[in-house]
Amino acid sequence: MKLKPLGDRVIVKVLDAEEKTSGGIVLPDSAKEKPQQAEVVAVGKGKTLESGTVETPDVKVGDKILFGKYSGTEVNTGGTDYLILRTDDIMAIVS
Amino acid sequence: MKLKPLGDRVIVKVLDAEEKTSGGIVLPDSAKEKPQQAEVVAVGKGKTLESGTVETPDVKVGDKILFGKYSGTEVNTGGTDYLILRTDDIMAIVS
Amino acid sequence: MKLKPLGDRVIVKVLDAEEKTSGGIVLPDSAKEKPQQAEVVAVGKGKTLESGTVETPDVKVGDKILFGKYSGTEVNTGGTDYLILRTDDIMAIVS
Amino acid sequence: MKLKPLGDRVIVKVLDAEEKTSGGIVLPDSAKEKPQQAEVVAVGKGKTLESGTVETPDVKVGDKILFGKYSGTEVNTGGTDYLILRTDDIMAIVS
Amino acid sequence: MKLKPLGDRVIVKVLDAEEKTSGGIVLPDSAKEKPQQAEVVAVGKGKTLESGTVETPDVKVGDKILFGKYSGTEVNTGGTDYLILRTDDIMAIVS
Amino acid sequence: MKLKPLGDRVIVKVLDAEEKTSGGIVLPDSAKEKPQQAEVVAVGKGKTLESGTVETPDVKVGDKILFGKYSGTEVNTGGTDYLILRTDDIMAIVS
Amino acid sequence: MKLKPLGDRVIVKVLDAEEKTSGGIVLPDSAKEKPQQAEVVAVGKGKTLESGTVETPDVKVGDKILFGKYSGTEVNTGGTDYLILRTDDIMAIVS
């Protein structure tokens, strides 16, 4: 059973704090809006602009990303929690 | 008697919790905005963009979809409840 | 005496509950936003988009439609009540 | 002394209730937003769209129209009251 | 010393009530939004639309205009009060 | 040390009241929104429109301008106070 | 471990007050909205406009910039605090 996100939506799996490496991303306690890390598991076709052009998403399956903490909609499939984001909620790719 | 949705509208039949398979989608109790499953029964021609282009919907009759819980307008025809959504309310296709 | 709706406006006659057939549309009591049935009596030329394109309405005179209960402006001509809707207020054609 | 409306503006003379014919428009007491009748006395060149296209108004001098009761700006010239509307405030032409 | 208005701005001199001719514009006391008369003293190049097109203003220096009472920004140069309006604040040319 | 404004931003030095000539701009005490005079010290490349066109600013370094009193962001460099405005905040060029 | 900003996002390192030179930028205490200095460490591809055009950012890695104090999202990687801004939050390049 799979989820195929539509339009500018992206499905991600939120990464546990434990997955961060020693030299990795540390999210500050006092951040105004705390970003979180996640791994991309599915990507929609992209946002359709008013001109009719489809804007291809800048992320692909397997990318680790940063997103705003209060973004997205939670969903659970096969016992695993996922989050459905819009591409504009994704701030950066972590590499 | 049939309903033909207009523009970017889609008519769906909300799926009962009982229809979910053992390995299927489980909707979390604590979700910020709980998505629900439904089956598409009719699809409009799509959204007309400011450029005049019509954006063909990404769903077709028979697709199982996830949508935001508080989206849409309820309607009952032939004793069955349906929901009229806009294509942008549909988050993902379940397969 | 006739009314010719302008732009994306459509004039409809709201259908009485009594006109519904036994197997027809039943509107739920508990609906969040209850749609109503009406018959189209006049159609404007359509909405002018920012590109200058005119979007032809998807309804024609005689169509039975569903629209959101609180949409439109009431008008009475020749002793009959009508409602002036915008095309985007029309959710579906009933056939 | 004349007023030449600019852009998408139209100048109208509101019609008295007495001018309605016996089989004519009767405006309902309980209307959510009561439309009124008026006669067009001057028409601007039309609305300029973001594309640069000018949308020619669908009304001409002498047309009797219906408009939303709270639309427009009152002005008095030569002892007569007029109303300056925008073309989008005009719902229908009465014929 | 001169003021050259930018973009869709127009500089006007508000006309005193005394300048109105006997058969001229009389502004109603009870108007919802009272328009005022003014004479155009300088005109900007016009509004730049999203398409890049510049919309040439429909008024020229010397035109007498009607504008909404609460529009614009007051400025005084050479002892005279002026008002800086946007072209869309101008409702009609008086001739 | 220099500041190069980005996009549709312009850097100005607010002019003291003492710099006004005897026949110059006098800002009214009772103005609804009091404009102020300033001299342009740096100009960005202009606003990028949705069409991709860049709108060249209508002001250049050295121009004296009028702007709305509460516009802009204050910055101090080399002991001098400047204001960063957007081009649309500038109402007129004073000459 | 690196962060690659997406779309119109830019990653910057906020500069300490101590890094300012004697003749440099002094931020006023009483500023309505206090801008801050930062150094650009990574730049996204730019904003996608409705026309489909991508607007190339006007800043590059190493640029010192001014941005509005309350803009952006804090993130910490490798023990260093960064800020993720949108290009429109950047007011000027300091040189």
Side-chain angles (χ1 to χ4, degrees), chain F residues 1-7 9 45 48-52 69 71-78 84 86, chain G residues 21 23-26 28 31-33 35 49-51 53 55 58-59 66 88 90-95:
Chain F
M1 186 165 286
K2 271 175 49 179
L3 293 178
K4 178 188 167 192
L6 295 188
R9 287 183 178 86
K45 72 172 180 186
T48 302
L49 305 171
E50 289 297 334
S51 56
K69 192 178 185 178
S71 307
T73 302
E74 295 175 11
V75 66
N76 180 305
T77 176
I84 304 179
R86 289 184 181 264
Chain G
T21 69
I25 305 287
V26 182
K32 287 171 277 190
E33 173 199 340
L49 306 171
E50 288 297 334
S51 57
T53 308
E55 182 187 359
D58 291 323
V59 294
L66 278 190
D88 195 55
I90 303 177
M91 290 185 272
I93 297 176
V94 181
S95 64

mmCIF file of all heavy atoms in Angstrom, chain F residues 1-7 9 45 48-52 69 71-78 84 86, chain G residues 21 23-26 28 31-33 35 49-51 53 55 58-59 66 88 90-95:
data_model
loop_
_atom_site.group_PDB
_atom_site.id
_atom_site.type_symbol
_atom_site.label_atom_id
_atom_site.label_comp_id
_atom_site.label_asym_id
_atom_site.label_seq_id
_atom_site.Cartn_x
_atom_site.Cartn_y
_atom_site.Cartn_z
ATOM 1 N N MET F 1 32.676 52.205 3.142
ATOM 2 C CA MET F 1 31.601 51.216 3.343
ATOM 3 C C MET F 1 30.295 51.688 2.729
ATOM 4 O O MET F 1 29.833 52.782 2.991
ATOM 5 C CB MET F 1 31.380 50.959 4.842
ATOM 6 C CG MET F 1 30.384 49.838 5.100
ATOM 7 S SD MET F 1 30.455 49.263 6.804
ATOM 8 C CE MET F 1 31.995 48.319 6.807
ATOM 9 N N LYS F 2 29.750 50.845 1.846
ATOM 10 C CA LYS F 2 28.573 51.237 1.069
ATOM 11 C C LYS F 2 27.436 50.234 1.206
ATOM 12 O O LYS F 2 27.661 49.052 1.469
ATOM 13 C CB LYS F 2 28.950 51.318 -0.409
ATOM 14 C CG LYS F 2 29.458 52.672 -0.857
ATOM 15 C CD LYS F 2 29.922 52.612 -2.296
ATOM 16 C CE LYS F 2 28.926 51.950 -3.236
ATOM 17 N NZ LYS F 2 29.436 51.955 -4.640
ATOM 18 N N LEU F 3 26.221 50.700 0.987
ATOM 19 C CA LEU F 3 25.051 49.828 0.959
ATOM 20 C C LEU F 3 24.492 49.812 -0.457
ATOM 21 O O LEU F 3 24.226 50.868 -1.036
ATOM 22 C CB LEU F 3 23.973 50.343 1.913
ATOM 23 C CG LEU F 3 24.292 50.296 3.404
ATOM 24 C CD1 LEU F 3 23.142 50.893 4.209
ATOM 25 C CD2 LEU F 3 24.556 48.869 3.851
ATOM 26 N N LYS F 4 24.332 48.601 -1.009
ATOM 27 C CA LYS F 4 23.727 48.454 -2.348
ATOM 28 C C LYS F 4 22.333 47.851 -2.153
ATOM 29 O O LYS F 4 22.199 46.675 -1.794
ATOM 30 C CB LYS F 4 24.603 47.523 -3.180
ATOM 31 C CG LYS F 4 24.069 47.236 -4.576
ATOM 32 C CD LYS F 4 24.917 46.151 -5.229
ATOM 33 C CE LYS F 4 24.228 45.608 -6.475
ATOM 34 N NZ LYS F 4 24.886 44.382 -6.955
ATOM 35 N N PRO F 5 21.276 48.652 -2.368
ATOM 36 C CA PRO F 5 19.931 48.131 -2.119
ATOM 37 C C PRO F 5 19.536 47.057 -3.136
ATOM 38 O O PRO F 5 19.951 47.118 -4.295
ATOM 39 C CB PRO F 5 19.044 49.368 -2.251
ATOM 40 C CG PRO F 5 19.822 50.320 -3.087
ATOM 41 C CD PRO F 5 21.284 50.043 -2.836
ATOM 42 N N LEU F 6 18.730 46.096 -2.707
ATOM 43 C CA LEU F 6 18.320 44.993 -3.584
ATOM 44 C C LEU F 6 16.893 45.187 -4.084
ATOM 45 O O LEU F 6 16.058 45.770 -3.412
ATOM 46 C CB LEU F 6 18.423 43.668 -2.835
ATOM 47 C CG LEU F 6 19.843 43.250 -2.431
ATOM 48 C CD1 LEU F 6 19.825 41.836 -1.867
ATOM 49 C CD2 LEU F 6 20.799 43.314 -3.620
ATOM 50 N N GLY F 7 16.646 44.654 -5.287
ATOM 51 C CA GLY F 7 15.295 44.644 -5.857
ATOM 52 C C GLY F 7 14.729 46.041 -5.993
ATOM 53 O O GLY F 7 15.365 46.941 -6.535
ATOM 54 N N ARG F 9 14.284 48.211 -3.769
ATOM 55 C CA ARG F 9 14.608 49.080 -2.645
ATOM 56 C C ARG F 9 15.484 50.253 -3.069
ATOM 57 O O ARG F 9 16.263 50.173 -4.010
ATOM 58 C CB ARG F 9 15.302 48.281 -1.538
ATOM 59 C CG ARG F 9 14.314 47.369 -0.814
ATOM 60 C CD ARG F 9 14.988 46.656 0.301
ATOM 61 N NE ARG F 9 14.085 45.803 1.062
ATOM 62 C CZ ARG F 9 13.782 44.540 0.754
ATOM 63 N NH1 ARG F 9 14.343 43.969 -0.298
ATOM 64 N NH2 ARG F 9 12.949 43.856 1.495
ATOM 65 N N LYS F 45 17.934 47.472 -8.515
ATOM 66 C CA LYS F 45 17.721 47.253 -9.955
ATOM 67 C C LYS F 45 16.251 47.391 -10.341
ATOM 68 O O LYS F 45 15.919 47.536 -11.503
ATOM 69 C CB LYS F 45 18.238 45.877 -10.360
ATOM 70 C CG LYS F 45 17.382 44.734 -9.869
ATOM 71 C CD LYS F 45 17.794 43.400 -10.443
ATOM 72 C CE LYS F 45 16.854 42.335 -9.882
ATOM 73 N NZ LYS F 45 17.240 40.981 -10.252
ATOM 74 N N THR F 48 10.873 42.932 -9.692
ATOM 75 C CA THR F 48 10.650 41.882 -10.680
ATOM 76 C C THR F 48 9.172 41.530 -10.691
ATOM 77 O O THR F 48 8.608 41.113 -9.679
ATOM 78 C CB THR F 48 11.491 40.640 -10.341
ATOM 79 O OG1 THR F 48 12.870 41.022 -10.301
ATOM 80 C CG2 THR F 48 11.313 39.557 -11.393
ATOM 81 N N LEU F 49 8.527 41.700 -11.844
ATOM 82 C CA LEU F 49 7.105 41.416 -11.988
ATOM 83 C C LEU F 49 6.896 39.926 -12.217
ATOM 84 O O LEU F 49 7.836 39.201 -12.551
ATOM 85 C CB LEU F 49 6.550 42.218 -13.171
ATOM 86 C CG LEU F 49 6.819 43.726 -13.076
ATOM 87 C CD1 LEU F 49 6.435 44.414 -14.379
ATOM 88 C CD2 LEU F 49 6.062 44.328 -11.904
ATOM 89 N N GLU F 50 5.652 39.438 -12.035
ATOM 90 C CA GLU F 50 5.354 38.014 -12.217
ATOM 91 C C GLU F 50 5.698 37.531 -13.624
ATOM 92 O O GLU F 50 5.962 36.349 -13.840
ATOM 93 C CB GLU F 50 3.881 37.722 -11.905
ATOM 94 C CG GLU F 50 3.516 37.803 -10.429
ATOM 95 C CD GLU F 50 4.244 36.780 -9.559
ATOM 96 O OE1 GLU F 50 4.635 35.725 -10.075
ATOM 97 O OE2 GLU F 50 4.442 37.057 -8.361
ATOM 98 N N SER F 51 5.695 38.447 -14.591
ATOM 99 C CA SER F 51 6.029 38.081 -15.965
ATOM 100 C C SER F 51 7.536 37.895 -16.161
ATOM 101 O O SER F 51 7.969 37.434 -17.213
ATOM 102 C CB SER F 51 5.556 39.184 -16.911
ATOM 103 O OG SER F 51 6.130 40.419 -16.523
ATOM 104 N N GLY F 52 8.327 38.264 -15.143
ATOM 105 C CA GLY F 52 9.779 38.159 -15.260
ATOM 106 C C GLY F 52 10.426 39.475 -15.659
ATOM 107 O O GLY F 52 11.643 39.635 -15.559
ATOM 108 N N LYS F 69 5.471 59.220 5.579
ATOM 109 C CA LYS F 69 6.246 59.383 6.811
ATOM 110 C C LYS F 69 6.598 58.069 7.499
ATOM 111 O O LYS F 69 7.665 57.944 8.089
ATOM 112 C CB LYS F 69 5.460 60.245 7.790
ATOM 113 C CG LYS F 69 6.293 60.712 8.962
ATOM 114 C CD LYS F 69 5.492 61.602 9.887
ATOM 115 C CE LYS F 69 6.396 62.162 10.993
ATOM 116 N NZ LYS F 69 5.646 63.063 11.875
ATOM 117 N N SER F 71 7.040 55.077 6.195
ATOM 118 C CA SER F 71 7.617 54.070 5.310
ATOM 119 C C SER F 71 9.062 53.793 5.685
ATOM 120 O O SER F 71 9.749 54.636 6.251
ATOM 121 C CB SER F 71 7.583 54.551 3.852
ATOM 122 O OG SER F 71 6.290 54.943 3.494
ATOM 123 N N GLY F 72 9.538 52.589 5.320
ATOM 124 C CA GLY F 72 10.951 52.321 5.326
ATOM 125 C C GLY F 72 11.540 51.809 6.618
ATOM 126 O O GLY F 72 10.871 51.694 7.638
ATOM 127 N N THR F 73 12.838 51.464 6.531
ATOM 128 C CA THR F 73 13.600 50.897 7.630
ATOM 129 C C THR F 73 14.843 51.770 7.848
ATOM 130 O O THR F 73 15.587 52.025 6.909
ATOM 131 C CB THR F 73 14.061 49.467 7.259
ATOM 132 O OG1 THR F 73 12.904 48.702 6.961
ATOM 133 C CG2 THR F 73 14.836 48.813 8.382
ATOM 134 N N GLU F 74 15.046 52.180 9.089
ATOM 135 C CA GLU F 74 16.194 53.039 9.393
ATOM 136 C C GLU F 74 17.478 52.236 9.453
ATOM 137 O O GLU F 74 17.513 51.105 9.951
ATOM 138 C CB GLU F 74 16.005 53.703 10.760
ATOM 139 C CG GLU F 74 14.843 54.663 10.806
ATOM 140 C CD GLU F 74 14.614 55.199 12.223
ATOM 141 O OE1 GLU F 74 15.491 54.985 13.099
ATOM 142 O OE2 GLU F 74 13.571 55.815 12.448
ATOM 143 N N VAL F 75 18.592 52.815 8.968
ATOM 144 C CA VAL F 75 19.899 52.195 9.106
ATOM 145 C C VAL F 75 20.917 53.333 9.244
ATOM 146 O O VAL F 75 20.703 54.425 8.738
ATOM 147 C CB VAL F 75 20.207 51.261 7.909
ATOM 148 C CG1 VAL F 75 20.344 52.036 6.619
ATOM 149 C CG2 VAL F 75 21.428 50.423 8.183
ATOM 150 N N ASN F 76 22.012 53.059 9.970
ATOM 151 C CA ASN F 76 23.035 54.089 10.192
ATOM 152 C C ASN F 76 24.364 53.548 9.710
ATOM 153 O O ASN F 76 24.797 52.478 10.131
ATOM 154 C CB ASN F 76 23.094 54.426 11.693
ATOM 155 C CG ASN F 76 24.139 55.487 12.003
ATOM 156 O OD1 ASN F 76 25.306 55.336 11.656
ATOM 157 N ND2 ASN F 76 23.716 56.571 12.637
ATOM 158 N N THR F 77 25.014 54.266 8.791
ATOM 159 C CA THR F 77 26.341 53.846 8.347
ATOM 160 C C THR F 77 27.253 55.065 8.304
ATOM 161 O O THR F 77 26.852 56.125 7.828
ATOM 162 C CB THR F 77 26.305 53.102 6.996
ATOM 163 O OG1 THR F 77 27.641 52.817 6.604
ATOM 164 C CG2 THR F 77 25.646 53.895 5.906
ATOM 165 N N GLY F 78 28.485 54.913 8.848
ATOM 166 C CA GLY F 78 29.436 56.021 8.901
ATOM 167 C C GLY F 78 28.913 57.193 9.706
ATOM 168 O O GLY F 78 29.272 58.346 9.434
ATOM 169 N N ILE F 84 15.800 52.884 4.243
ATOM 170 C CA ILE F 84 15.644 52.001 3.088
ATOM 171 C C ILE F 84 14.161 51.947 2.751
ATOM 172 O O ILE F 84 13.339 51.473 3.540
ATOM 173 C CB ILE F 84 16.196 50.588 3.390
ATOM 174 C CG1 ILE F 84 17.673 50.674 3.827
ATOM 175 C CG2 ILE F 84 16.039 49.688 2.174
ATOM 176 C CD1 ILE F 84 18.303 49.315 4.162
ATOM 177 N N ARG F 86 10.979 51.158 -0.327
ATOM 178 C CA ARG F 86 10.660 50.460 -1.574
ATOM 179 C C ARG F 86 10.226 51.517 -2.590
ATOM 180 O O ARG F 86 9.679 52.557 -2.199
ATOM 181 C CB ARG F 86 9.550 49.429 -1.347
ATOM 182 C CG ARG F 86 10.057 48.233 -0.530
ATOM 183 C CD ARG F 86 9.016 47.170 -0.376
ATOM 184 N NE ARG F 86 9.498 46.066 0.421
ATOM 185 C CZ ARG F 86 10.024 44.930 -0.080
ATOM 186 N NH1 ARG F 86 10.103 44.769 -1.388
ATOM 187 N NH2 ARG F 86 10.440 43.970 0.721
ATOM 188 N N THR G 21 33.425 47.468 11.679
ATOM 189 C CA THR G 21 34.607 48.327 11.687
ATOM 190 C C THR G 21 34.234 49.663 12.301
ATOM 191 O O THR G 21 33.059 49.986 12.467
ATOM 192 C CB THR G 21 35.101 48.570 10.247
ATOM 193 O OG1 THR G 21 34.130 49.382 9.590
ATOM 194 C CG2 THR G 21 35.296 47.267 9.504
ATOM 195 N N GLY G 23 34.360 52.591 11.081
ATOM 196 C CA GLY G 23 33.560 53.476 10.220
ATOM 197 C C GLY G 23 32.337 52.777 9.648
ATOM 198 O O GLY G 23 31.721 53.273 8.714
ATOM 199 N N GLY G 24 32.008 51.637 10.266
ATOM 200 C CA GLY G 24 31.014 50.751 9.646
ATOM 201 C C GLY G 24 29.573 51.040 10.015
ATOM 202 O O GLY G 24 29.232 52.115 10.505
ATOM 203 N N ILE G 25 28.763 50.031 9.770
ATOM 204 C CA ILE G 25 27.324 50.140 9.999
ATOM 205 C C ILE G 25 27.038 50.177 11.492
ATOM 206 O O ILE G 25 27.447 49.288 12.223
ATOM 207 C CB ILE G 25 26.597 48.925 9.398
ATOM 208 C CG1 ILE G 25 26.925 48.752 7.927
ATOM 209 C CG2 ILE G 25 25.092 49.008 9.634
ATOM 210 C CD1 ILE G 25 26.276 49.760 7.023
ATOM 211 N N VAL G 26 26.349 51.197 11.932
ATOM 212 C CA VAL G 26 25.881 51.243 13.306
ATOM 213 C C VAL G 26 24.359 51.182 13.267
ATOM 214 O O VAL G 26 23.719 51.985 12.591
ATOM 215 C CB VAL G 26 26.333 52.536 14.019
ATOM 216 C CG1 VAL G 26 25.866 52.528 15.467
ATOM 217 C CG2 VAL G 26 27.830 52.675 13.924
ATOM 218 N N PRO G 28 20.804 51.798 14.611
ATOM 219 C CA PRO G 28 20.231 52.741 15.575
ATOM 220 C C PRO G 28 19.383 52.022 16.634
ATOM 221 O O PRO G 28 18.709 51.047 16.349
ATOM 222 C CB PRO G 28 19.349 53.635 14.704
ATOM 223 C CG PRO G 28 19.017 52.800 13.513
ATOM 224 C CD PRO G 28 20.204 51.905 13.282
ATOM 225 N N ALA G 31 15.407 52.353 16.027
ATOM 226 C CA ALA G 31 14.854 52.018 14.715
ATOM 227 C C ALA G 31 13.495 51.360 14.867
ATOM 228 O O ALA G 31 13.267 50.577 15.779
ATOM 229 C CB ALA G 31 15.780 51.088 13.967
ATOM 230 N N LYS G 32 12.608 51.697 13.907
ATOM 231 C CA LYS G 32 11.267 51.109 13.920
ATOM 232 C C LYS G 32 11.376 49.592 13.746
ATOM 233 O O LYS G 32 10.727 48.828 14.409
ATOM 234 C CB LYS G 32 10.437 51.694 12.771
ATOM 235 C CG LYS G 32 10.017 53.132 13.008
ATOM 236 C CD LYS G 32 9.392 53.734 11.772
ATOM 237 C CE LYS G 32 10.466 54.247 10.803
ATOM 238 N NZ LYS G 32 9.904 55.035 9.702
ATOM 239 N N GLU G 33 12.213 49.170 12.794
ATOM 240 C CA GLU G 33 12.469 47.751 12.549
ATOM 241 C C GLU G 33 13.970 47.631 12.335
ATOM 242 O O GLU G 33 14.475 48.068 11.316
ATOM 243 C CB GLU G 33 11.709 47.289 11.297
ATOM 244 C CG GLU G 33 12.027 45.895 10.848
ATOM 245 C CD GLU G 33 11.614 45.675 9.385
ATOM 246 O OE1 GLU G 33 10.787 46.428 8.885
ATOM 247 O OE2 GLU G 33 12.149 44.748 8.766
ATOM 248 N N PRO G 35 17.450 46.526 11.208
ATOM 249 C CA PRO G 35 18.103 45.554 10.342
ATOM 250 C C PRO G 35 19.374 45.025 11.002
ATOM 251 O O PRO G 35 19.981 45.687 11.843
ATOM 252 C CB PRO G 35 18.427 46.351 9.085
ATOM 253 C CG PRO G 35 18.429 47.781 9.495
ATOM 254 C CD PRO G 35 17.649 47.911 10.774
ATOM 255 N N LEU G 49 8.490 32.558 -10.551
ATOM 256 C CA LEU G 49 7.379 33.474 -10.760
ATOM 257 C C LEU G 49 6.214 32.735 -11.409
ATOM 258 O O LEU G 49 6.383 31.636 -11.938
ATOM 259 C CB LEU G 49 7.842 34.631 -11.652
ATOM 260 C CG LEU G 49 9.086 35.363 -11.131
ATOM 261 C CD1 LEU G 49 9.600 36.346 -12.167
ATOM 262 C CD2 LEU G 49 8.766 36.079 -9.827
ATOM 263 N N GLU G 50 5.013 33.327 -11.369
ATOM 264 C CA GLU G 50 3.825 32.689 -11.953
ATOM 265 C C GLU G 50 4.003 32.408 -13.447
ATOM 266 O O GLU G 50 3.374 31.518 -14.006
ATOM 267 C CB GLU G 50 2.575 33.546 -11.724
ATOM 268 C CG GLU G 50 2.077 33.564 -10.281
ATOM 269 C CD GLU G 50 1.633 32.201 -9.764
ATOM 270 O OE1 GLU G 50 1.235 31.361 -10.572
ATOM 271 O OE2 GLU G 50 1.714 31.977 -8.537
ATOM 272 N N SER G 51 4.862 33.184 -14.107
ATOM 273 C CA SER G 51 5.125 32.972 -15.535
ATOM 274 C C SER G 51 6.023 31.765 -15.782
ATOM 275 O O SER G 51 6.209 31.365 -16.923
ATOM 276 C CB SER G 51 5.802 34.211 -16.104
ATOM 277 O OG SER G 51 6.989 34.479 -15.375
ATOM 278 N N THR G 53 9.209 31.786 -15.000
ATOM 279 C CA THR G 53 10.572 32.333 -14.949
ATOM 280 C C THR G 53 11.143 32.183 -13.539
ATOM 281 O O THR G 53 10.432 32.380 -12.567
ATOM 282 C CB THR G 53 10.537 33.847 -15.284
ATOM 283 O OG1 THR G 53 9.828 34.016 -16.503
ATOM 284 C CG2 THR G 53 11.934 34.430 -15.408
ATOM 285 N N GLU G 55 13.641 33.791 -10.890
ATOM 286 C CA GLU G 55 14.324 35.069 -10.640
ATOM 287 C C GLU G 55 15.635 34.775 -9.904
ATOM 288 O O GLU G 55 15.624 34.416 -8.725
ATOM 289 C CB GLU G 55 13.404 35.928 -9.768
ATOM 290 C CG GLU G 55 13.932 37.299 -9.465
ATOM 291 C CD GLU G 55 13.051 38.037 -8.456
ATOM 292 O OE1 GLU G 55 12.020 37.486 -8.014
ATOM 293 O OE2 GLU G 55 13.421 39.162 -8.083
ATOM 294 N N ASP G 58 20.023 38.069 -6.106
ATOM 295 C CA ASP G 58 21.003 39.137 -6.306
ATOM 296 C C ASP G 58 22.168 39.033 -5.330
ATOM 297 O O ASP G 58 23.020 39.915 -5.301
ATOM 298 C CB ASP G 58 20.317 40.500 -6.138
ATOM 299 C CG ASP G 58 19.356 40.782 -7.273
ATOM 300 O OD1 ASP G 58 19.674 40.414 -8.423
ATOM 301 O OD2 ASP G 58 18.294 41.365 -7.016
ATOM 302 N N VAL G 59 22.197 37.976 -4.523
ATOM 303 C CA VAL G 59 23.307 37.815 -3.573
ATOM 304 C C VAL G 59 24.068 36.531 -3.901
ATOM 305 O O VAL G 59 23.540 35.616 -4.510
ATOM 306 C CB VAL G 59 22.800 37.751 -2.107
ATOM 307 C CG1 VAL G 59 22.197 39.084 -1.706
ATOM 308 C CG2 VAL G 59 21.813 36.620 -1.895
ATOM 309 N N LEU G 66 22.280 43.163 4.779
ATOM 310 C CA LEU G 66 21.395 43.681 5.831
ATOM 311 C C LEU G 66 20.038 43.018 5.674
ATOM 312 O O LEU G 66 19.512 42.929 4.564
ATOM 313 C CB LEU G 66 21.184 45.187 5.668
ATOM 314 C CG LEU G 66 22.196 46.162 6.192
ATOM 315 C CD1 LEU G 66 21.608 47.583 6.127
ATOM 316 C CD2 LEU G 66 22.611 45.858 7.629
ATOM 317 N N ASP G 88 13.653 38.031 -0.476
ATOM 318 C CA ASP G 88 12.979 39.316 -0.311
ATOM 319 C C ASP G 88 13.191 39.924 1.073
ATOM 320 O O ASP G 88 12.916 41.109 1.291
ATOM 321 C CB ASP G 88 11.483 39.172 -0.604
ATOM 322 C CG ASP G 88 10.817 40.520 -0.791
ATOM 323 O OD1 ASP G 88 11.281 41.289 -1.646
ATOM 324 O OD2 ASP G 88 9.848 40.820 -0.066
ATOM 325 N N ILE G 90 16.091 40.278 2.321
ATOM 326 C CA ILE G 90 17.414 40.930 2.276
ATOM 327 C C ILE G 90 17.251 42.322 1.679
ATOM 328 O O ILE G 90 16.757 42.475 0.569
ATOM 329 C CB ILE G 90 18.413 40.090 1.458
ATOM 330 C CG1 ILE G 90 18.501 38.680 2.070
ATOM 331 C CG2 ILE G 90 19.772 40.783 1.398
ATOM 332 C CD1 ILE G 90 19.406 37.738 1.293
ATOM 333 N N MET G 91 17.664 43.340 2.453
ATOM 334 C CA MET G 91 17.438 44.718 2.031
ATOM 335 C C MET G 91 18.590 45.294 1.219
ATOM 336 O O MET G 91 18.365 46.085 0.304
ATOM 337 C CB MET G 91 17.187 45.574 3.267
ATOM 338 C CG MET G 91 15.846 45.259 3.916
ATOM 339 S SD MET G 91 15.472 46.360 5.276
ATOM 340 C CE MET G 91 16.270 45.461 6.589
ATOM 341 N N ALA G 92 19.829 44.912 1.554
ATOM 342 C CA ALA G 92 20.961 45.541 0.873
ATOM 343 C C ALA G 92 22.210 44.684 1.061
ATOM 344 O O ALA G 92 22.305 43.887 2.004
ATOM 345 C CB ALA G 92 21.202 46.940 1.436
ATOM 346 N N ILE G 93 23.151 44.844 0.130
ATOM 347 C CA ILE G 93 24.483 44.249 0.257
ATOM 348 C C ILE G 93 25.407 45.321 0.813
ATOM 349 O O ILE G 93 25.398 46.469 0.356
ATOM 350 C CB ILE G 93 24.998 43.751 -1.115
ATOM 351 C CG1 ILE G 93 24.078 42.640 -1.652
ATOM 352 C CG2 ILE G 93 26.445 43.265 -1.017
ATOM 353 C CD1 ILE G 93 24.444 42.164 -3.043
ATOM 354 N N VAL G 94 26.205 44.946 1.816
ATOM 355 C CA VAL G 94 27.144 45.869 2.455
ATOM 356 C C VAL G 94 28.521 45.646 1.820
ATOM 357 O O VAL G 94 28.984 44.501 1.775
ATOM 358 C CB VAL G 94 27.230 45.579 3.969
ATOM 359 C CG1 VAL G 94 28.195 46.554 4.649
ATOM 360 C CG2 VAL G 94 25.851 45.623 4.617
ATOM 361 N N SER G 95 29.147 46.715 1.341
ATOM 362 C CA SER G 95 30.487 46.519 0.745
ATOM 363 C C SER G 95 31.444 47.611 1.190
ATOM 364 O O SER G 95 31.052 48.545 1.880
ATOM 365 C CB SER G 95 30.387 46.492 -0.774
ATOM 366 O OG SER G 95 29.948 47.739 -1.240
#
